[in-house]
Amino acid sequence: MPKNSKVVKRELDDEVIESVKDLLSNEDSADDAFKKSELLVDDQEHKDVDVEEGSDIEDERPAWNSKLQYILAQVGFSVGLGNVWRFPYLCQKNGGGAYLVPYLILLMIIGIPLFFLELSVGQRIRRGSIGVWNYISPMLGGIGFASCVVCFFVALYYNVIIGWSLFYFSQSFQHPLPWDQCPLVKNISHTFVEPECEKSSATTYYWYREALNISNSLSESGGLNWKMTLCLLAAWILVCLAMIKGIQSSGKIMYFSSLFPYVVLICFLVRGLLLNGSMDGIRHMFTPKLEIMLEPKVWREAATQVFFALGLGFGGVIAFSSYNKRDNNCHFDAVLVSFINFFTSVLATLVVFAVLGFKANIINEKCITQNSEKILNLLKIGNLSQDMIPHHINFSSITAEDYNLVYDIIQKVKEEEFPALGLKSCQIEDELNKAVQGTGLAFIAFTEAMTHFPASPFWSVMFFLMLVNLGLGSMFGTIEGIITPIVDAFKVRKEILTVICCLVAFLIGLIFVQRSGNYFVTMFDDYSATLPLLIVVILENIAISQVYGIDKFMEDLKDMLGFSPNQYYYYIWKYVSPVVLLFLLVASIVQMGLSPPGYNAWIEEKATEEFLSYPPWGMIVCISLMILAILPVPIVFIVRRCNLIDDSSGSLAAVSYKRGRIIKEPVNLEGDDASLIHGKIPSEQPSPNFGKNIYRKQTGSPTLDTAPNGRYGIGYLMADMPDMPESDL
């Protein structure tokens, strides 16, 4: 006779399960398949077995070959181009060495805790971002889809930057470097310097005209730039080949792509410190401007940099950690990777300002030479008296100190007439204050400095190969943030999905290799990621601290790590980080509203940049990027809330595990009460086991004891259904 499920529960709760043998003896003796398949001892070093509801075959999830490979993957993802060209700019702009103080404070408040949170949920649930947030709450499953959309948007333009680096890398095998001198134009009568180059500089001209062949505005497409199109294709082929086997292929490449940039940075630092004027740059960089540090915008920009430096919200962190063993110490990983990221930023800043100090010194020497000649001419024509010039001054080999002395004397004596003389002060600090960020730093300022290096082609090859490696490391994490969640949710072949994803991204990415493509890169960088990612991370924090429950999450961490995390994280996740993130979101919206939406366009006739506002269709694109990125969150919420789609198929939110497993360590059931029956129908059962309570209880179900250890639970998950046959037990 069939028994009511409550009776079954009551009978089994009265039993004390003392060993695995006793547990198995409760199963139907005829269920040989269960005895063979349910008790799985994972003796293989790098595999973990997950079995989904309705599946008769075991899906072996790949794993990292070593802990070092995993750490290098996370470092490669978090350490990217922003460490080289954004952090130094922010440091110089926001108080020099004083900027490091708010950055470190915010790294401790939002950086490490939120990085730890993403690592832990990915490692525990062993799914990509879609599966993780479906498990936490099906109605919040849109968080994972939003992460995928943002990753896709970022991948579209980020790989274009890798394409630019590949182009410069290919052009670096020449001596002299092609951007060393302005090109000459020949006509019938004479030869002259290219006017656009003469008005700007050789490196600026090469970047805008030879590399990008840029148009005058966003509205002027100008057709495809074939050189950059080929470079973009090469970049996507590299990414596709590296990612086609998932972490089995990309993990091995991490040894080179993650470590090589450090070799280059250290070589550049040693070489830079030997250059004349390098210490002026480093001194300028680390001279603290404490008054600037107190401004609110400094803290906002520091928080934004911390946020993006660690790759929070992209899903790449979750995807990489999902291939870990569940007992991996992800707290140690979070602290280690965060501080490696910080010290990489400081190292890159030292290199950048050593090189910029050298460049500023060269420009300052030219300035002194040119203005010394002006002073000599003014002395010859009688506009200046020889009596003004100190006797020890020798204009043929004048030093910076002597020139500044002469300049100050002339300025005091010729107070009213001085502006008409056209003399410049020639201060190194003035040049260093012109430090640029982004592509301007990498492709203009740095390339100009390298033309003055001995063996400049060698350093150029090293520098752009480093940029390619930094970009690829970040791209691997970004693509993994797209591929892994989709593979987990829809069970498609990773190889096919990777090829399709890269092909579609390349085709869409053709808009970035038009002559106007650089303006689209700026648009996507400003609008497709900032606000959507902030919203995603805020929802992640709320999903864990409020929806899932911070107390339960802390217990899960204790079970997973083997020790209780510091209570510091409890208060940060529950109170501090949501407030800080909401403040950052509001501040970013206000800043976006106050800043006129536009871009810096290169005007060929003037040979200079000019700020232009977006056309109406451009504003529509900007707004659409933000809406499309965050749209999955409300759509999934409404669909799940209103039951518009039947989830009984077992996909997405309806994933459950009918079988447990044993891995490696023995089960110690002695002294623990174990209950095998929990009140959830299969369609409501969460994806993988999470925490000590591996079989989550349904609200209103009887209080039941949990399996002794969430990692090693064994047995069927019983459905709370009436008239369940006893043989099913």
Side-chain angles (χ1 to χ4, degrees), residues 593-608:
L594 295 177
S595 302
Y599 60 100
N600 290 319
W602 179 258
I603 309 302
E604 183 176 358
E605 295 76 18
K606 301 178 182 178
T608 184

Side-chain angles (χ1 to χ4, degrees), residues 384-687:
L384 293 177
S385 171
Q386 187 68 44
D387 297 334
M388 295 182 186
I389 311 301
H391 297 291
H392 70 280
I393 300 296
N394 181 6
F395 282 102
S396 61
S397 59
I398 190 170
T399 64
E401 292 77 10
D402 288 343
Y403 173 79
N404 289 329
L405 176 62
V406 172
Y407 180 86
D408 291 339
I409 292 173
I410 296 175
Q411 188 177 31
K412 290 178 182 177
V413 174
K414 297 283 186 178
E415 187 174 352
E416 295 181 358
E417 304 172 16
F418 182 77
L421 299 178
L423 297 177
K424 296 181 180 179
S425 62
C426 298
Q427 298 288 335
I428 289 181
E429 286 74 16
D430 294 339
E431 290 299 325
L432 289 171
N433 285 330
K434 297 177 184 177
V436 292
Q437 67 162 321
T439 54
L441 174 62
F443 298 105
I444 298 177
F446 232 84
T447 51
E448 183 175 345
M450 283 188 294
T451 59
H452 302 287
F453 280 23
S456 55
F458 168 77
W459 294 104
S460 182
V461 167
M462 294 284 282
F463 177 72
F464 289 109
L465 186 57
M466 178 190 72
L467 290 188
V468 170
N469 276 273
L470 285 172
L472 286 176
S474 298
M475 275 298 294
F476 293 157
T478 304
I479 297 297
E480 199 69 55
I482 303 171
I483 301 296
T484 298
I486 295 176
V487 169
D488 289 341
F490 300 104
K491 299 306 169 189
V492 296
R493 287 193 60 184
K494 176 166 283 191
E495 295 86 349
I496 297 174
L497 179 62
T498 302
V499 172
I500 293 175
C501 179
C502 291
L503 179 61
V504 171
F506 167 71
L507 294 175
I508 298 176
L510 292 177
I511 66 173
F512 301 108
V513 289
Q514 303 174 95
R515 290 185 59 199
S516 60
N518 189 47
Y519 307 138
F520 284 97
V521 171
T522 302
M523 176 191 292
F524 272 67
D525 191 34
D526 290 341
Y527 292 95
S528 70
T530 306
L531 289 181
L533 279 181
L534 274 171
I535 295 172
V536 164
V537 176
I538 290 171
L539 291 174
E540 288 181 357
N541 199 161
I542 293 174
I544 292 295
S545 61
Q546 304 298 325
V547 179
Y548 185 78
I550 192 66
D551 294 306
K552 183 187 290 186
F553 186 63
M554 294 296 285
E555 284 296 316
D556 292 335
L557 288 176
K558 180 180 179 181
D559 174 67
M560 183 169 67
L561 300 175
F563 62 89
S564 297
N566 195 290
Q567 285 296 107
Y568 167 80
Y569 292 103
Y570 178 92
Y571 295 106
I572 289 290
W573 285 328
K574 189 169 184 178
Y575 303 111
V576 180
S577 59
V579 174
V580 173
L581 288 172
L582 284 172
F583 172 79
L584 182 58
L585 177 64
V586 172
S588 298
I589 293 173
V590 171
Q591 175 67 22
M592 192 173 289
L594 295 177
S595 302
Y599 60 100
N600 290 319
W602 179 258
I603 309 302
E604 183 176 358
E605 295 76 18
K606 301 178 182 178
T608 184
E609 285 187 337
E610 184 176 308
F611 184 82
L612 299 179
S613 298
Y614 285 117
W617 65 266
M619 286 302 304
I620 294 174
V621 173
C622 294
I623 296 172
S624 299
L625 287 174
M626 291 187 290
I627 293 175
L628 286 173
I630 207 63
L631 195 60
V633 175
I635 287 179
V636 172
F637 180 85
I638 294 171
V639 167
R640 298 262 169 84
R641 180 69 178 174
C642 301
N643 294 319
L644 299 181
I645 296 179
D646 183 16
D647 269 348
S648 61
S649 60
S651 62
L652 300 179
V655 180
S656 79
Y657 279 9
K658 284 191 173 181
R659 310 168 191 168
R661 67 183 176 282
I662 294 181
I663 55 175
K664 289 205 170 177
E665 296 139 61
V667 181
N668 181 14
L669 298 175
E670 188 171 354
D672 287 314
D673 293 332
S675 175
L676 301 180
I677 303 172
H678 282 255
K680 275 209 171 189
I681 61 174
S683 63
E684 294 175 328
Q685 194 62 28
S687 178

Side-chain angles (χ1 to χ4, degrees), residues 23-170:
L23 176 60
L24 292 178
S25 67
N26 285 327
E27 304 298 335
D28 193 326
S29 59
D31 193 357
D32 293 329
F34 171 81
K35 294 182 179 181
K36 293 178 181 178
S37 64
E38 300 306 304
L39 184 58
L40 299 176
V41 182
D42 187 1
D43 290 328
Q44 299 181 44
E45 185 177 358
H46 305 303
K47 291 182 179 179
D48 200 1
V49 180
D50 291 338
V51 184
E52 293 185 332
E53 179 188 10
S55 175
D56 294 327
I57 59 174
E58 292 154 4
D59 175 27
E60 295 184 353
R61 190 171 186 80
W64 296 104
N65 289 331
S66 66
K67 180 66 175 282
L68 176 61
Q69 191 181 91
Y70 164 68
I71 293 294
L72 290 178
Q74 291 286 15
V75 169
F77 176 52
S78 65
V79 175
L81 298 173
N83 296 76
V84 175
W85 65 36
R86 180 164 172 78
F87 186 90
Y89 164 77
L90 291 175
C91 203
Q92 182 269 340
K93 172 187 173 185
N94 294 318
Y99 173 75
L100 300 179
V101 176
Y103 186 88
L104 273 173
I105 292 174
L106 291 166
L107 182 66
M108 300 298 295
I109 292 177
I110 63 173
I112 294 176
L114 292 176
F115 193 60
F116 179 30
L117 184 145
E118 289 201 357
L119 286 179
S120 57
V121 296
Q123 178 177 308
R124 190 55 163 167
I125 301 177
R126 295 177 63 77
R127 286 291 180 271
S129 55
I130 294 177
V132 161
W133 303 114
N134 272 330
Y135 170 77
I136 298 298
S137 174
M139 285 185 290
L140 293 179
I143 298 175
F145 288 98
S147 292
C148 290
V149 173
V150 174
C151 279
F152 187 71
F153 284 159
V154 171
L156 288 176
Y157 73 85
Y158 203 87
N159 223 26
V160 175
I161 301 174
I162 298 177
W164 295 341
S165 302
L166 285 172
F167 173 77
Y168 269 80
F169 172 74
S170 66

